[in-house]
Amino acid sequence: MSLQLPPLSLYIHLPWCVKKCPYCDFNSHQADRFTHNDKLPEEAYLKQLLADLDADLDYVAGRPIQTAFIGGGTPSLMSEDFYYKLMDALREKLTWVDNTEITMEANPGTFEQEKFRHFRQAGINRLSIGIQSFQPNLLKTLGRIHNREEAIHAVDKSRAAGFDNINLDLMHGLPEQSRDMAMEDLSLAIKLNPEHLSWYQLTIEPNTEFFRRPPTLPEDNTLWEIQDAGQELLAENGYLQYEVSANSKISKRASHNLNYWRFGDYIGIGAGAHGKITLPDGQIFRTRKTRHPNHYLNNLAEALVIKEPIAQEDMPLEFMMNRLRLFESFDLLDYERFAYQKLPIPLIKACEIAIKKGLLDAEEWKKKRVKTTRKGKLFLNELLELFLA
């Protein structure tokens, strides 16, 4: 079995937001609790990010960085100077493939839009704008601090700044949202002509305000109607669904997320960042960094990094949980190439059961390939349960 290492990406986490949204379970912290003289601790955080990266450089193992993603939190809160320094340092420490996709998450607020041109000049070439909805009542319910006009203007601003690869994040299944309301949001997003649309259903996550005080969500029948009508509308306008919630124009799929879902490697730096690393001996493990910004800023030593090997018996679920999110077919032997173990008999049997249930494509299986069916897309959790150890 070949021990050629998988492609490598870089994830960078910036943990601050202006305001914590009631649905958000990401590692984000309200900025005004950490600022000094109305400024975030940019210099100290940059220093720790680079020290964090230095501690993980052995995991690179000579591989170039295929993609990078700057997430949060709200990364666009940081100054343009922060990103000039960060990108310069990353270019010095790492080897990059040509035309590396480098994405930053941004909010549509007017203050942040003024920095888009600097982000592009620093080397960031893909922008992911968190719109979520265009409707004032839903924006208020979601705790968003931008309005409809700012969301539309943010796309115009990003184009003017030189971005030709833009993703819009949009949610559906929102509190008391009707099918028509959801289609109005999606239609406006399509009209803005982004290269990529992440269109996903609101789920209530633990440790969120919505979990503690659940809002009234649409009934299941309405959710099905929204999903069906939305995917039809996206397809009619040239957006191909290639993952559960990801839709793109031809050749504009998110390369960074594709690497995650294809079971590639990624180094994660920053407060709360996660990583997945393969060693030259075939051992695969996950890393995570301490979540709280103050702890991250003050303790970089061993306590900062938690390494957890992926147990051999858990590998089928770990692999399939990622690959089956994608709607492309894949070679069954990709499991051996990326999981570094022989194809387990229980995994093969689970695939055969999934075919009988109509969750995997029978014709692709004859070619020793795996592909999720339309039914499998709709019942993904049921499909994945078949691969539990």
Side-chain angles (χ1 to χ4, degrees):
M1 206 166 24
S2 171
L3 287 185
Q4 181 178 351
L5 295 177
L8 181 66
S9 293
L10 174 67
Y11 175 76
I12 304 165
H13 193 79
L14 282 297
W16 292 289
C17 282
V18 172
K19 180 184 177 184
K20 181 79 171 179
C21 296
Y23 60 85
C24 178
D25 70 334
F26 293 119
N27 185 39
S28 59
H29 303 263
Q30 198 158 310
D32 59 13
R33 299 175 185 173
F34 297 88
T35 54
H36 177 68
N37 294 329
D38 294 324
K39 292 184 178 180
L40 287 166
E42 291 190 356
E43 185 175 343
Y45 197 76
L46 176 61
K47 180 179 178 182
Q48 289 295 66
L49 277 178
L50 298 178
D52 191 356
L53 178 61
D54 285 341
D56 283 357
L57 283 179
D58 284 347
Y59 301 148
V60 174
R63 289 174 287 179
I65 300 298
Q66 303 286 329
T67 67
F69 194 101
I70 305 168
T74 307
S76 49
L77 284 180
M78 306 297 262
S79 71
E80 50 267 44
D81 187 56
F82 174 88
Y83 284 107
Y84 283 123
K85 292 177 179 177
L86 172 64
M87 296 305 297
D88 283 346
L90 293 177
R91 282 187 282 265
E92 289 179 4
K93 293 175 179 289
L94 298 164
T95 302
W96 302 76
V97 298
D98 292 339
N99 302 313
T100 309
E101 177 194 276
I102 303 174
T103 303
M104 174 196 279
E105 290 182 334
N107 274 353
T110 303
F111 170 72
E112 294 168 51
Q113 293 177 33
E114 297 305 317
K115 297 184 282 187
F116 285 177
R117 178 174 57 85
H118 291 285
F119 298 154
R120 184 68 189 90
Q121 289 178 351
I124 296 157
N125 54 28
R126 184 173 183 270
L127 212 58
S128 181
I129 304 175
I131 289 175
Q132 316 311 353
S133 177
F134 293 98
Q135 298 170 42
N137 60 322
L138 291 179
L139 287 170
K140 183 177 180 180
T141 299
L142 294 173
R144 307 296 290 172
I145 60 174
H146 66 271
N147 59 39
R148 174 190 178 101
E149 290 70 28
E150 286 175 325
I152 295 170
H153 191 55
V155 178
D156 294 336
K157 270 283 192 181
S158 61
R159 294 295 189 201
F163 285 97
D164 59 5
N165 195 358
I166 296 170
N167 169 64
L168 300 185
D169 269 353
L170 199 68
M171 301 172 75
H172 62 89
L174 302 177
E176 301 183 7
Q177 186 183 45
S178 66
R179 175 190 177 281
D180 288 346
M181 293 165 66
M183 292 306 99
E184 181 183 340
D185 265 354
L186 186 56
S187 295
L188 181 49
I190 290 171
K191 187 177 180 181
L192 293 173
N193 199 31
E195 283 69 30
H196 192 282
L197 263 167
S198 296
W199 190 61
Y200 54 97
Q201 184 179 320
L202 170 66
T203 55
I204 306 301
E205 302 288 354
N207 302 315
T208 65
E209 186 64 25
F210 275 180
F211 185 80
R212 291 184 286 272
R213 298 180 179 83
T216 302
L217 299 181
E219 295 182 353
D220 286 347
N221 286 343
T222 302
L223 293 174
W224 283 113
E225 290 175 2
I226 290 173
Q227 184 70 39
D228 281 348
Q231 289 305 153
E232 184 177 346
L233 183 62
L234 285 160
E236 287 173 354
N237 285 275
Y239 291 92
L240 305 178
Q241 184 185 21
Y242 65 95
E243 187 267 345
V244 175
S245 59
N247 308 268
S248 77
K249 295 183 177 180
I250 294 174
S251 79
K252 290 297 184 179
R253 296 188 296 178
S255 298
H256 186 84
N257 289 342
L258 283 174
N259 191 44
Y260 287 166
W261 298 323
R262 288 171 175 164
F263 215 52
D265 278 358
Y266 52 99
I267 289 173
I269 60 173
H274 287 237
K276 179 242 168 189
I277 298 297
T278 305
L279 298 181
D281 64 3
Q283 181 186 0
I284 302 174
F285 60 91
R286 297 195 181 278
T287 65
R288 66 180 189 270
K289 309 300 171 67
T290 188
R291 290 173 57 86
H292 199 278
N294 284 348
H295 184 203
Y296 183 82
L297 285 167
N298 296 314
N299 300 278
L300 186 65
E302 291 298 322
L304 187 68
V305 181
I306 299 171
K307 292 172 58 177
E308 296 176 334
I310 299 177
Q312 292 291 297
E313 61 270 21
D314 294 334
M315 199 67 72
L317 178 61
E318 288 276 344
F319 179 83
M320 299 302 273
M321 189 166 53
N322 285 279
R323 286 308 308 246
L324 292 177
R325 286 185 64 92
L326 291 171
F327 299 153
E328 64 185 15
S329 68
F330 63 91
D331 190 328
L332 188 61
L333 291 180
D334 278 357
Y335 181 86
E336 295 190 357
R337 299 186 187 106
F338 288 91
Y340 296 92
Q341 59 176 242
K342 288 293 184 182
L343 198 61
I345 298 300
L347 185 149
I348 295 174
K349 290 182 176 179
C351 287
E352 291 171 344
I353 293 170
I355 290 168
K356 291 178 181 178
K357 289 176 174 283
L359 303 173
L360 292 180
D361 189 293
E363 292 303 313
E364 288 293 319
W365 184 252
K366 292 175 183 177
K367 307 171 192 173
K368 296 185 178 180
R369 298 187 67 81
V370 180
K371 184 177 182 180
T372 311
T373 62
R374 176 174 170 77
K375 181 180 178 182
K377 297 174 187 178
L378 296 175
F379 297 97
L380 186 60
N381 287 339
E382 179 183 340
L383 174 57
L384 292 176
E385 284 174 3
L386 298 173
F387 299 95
L388 288 169

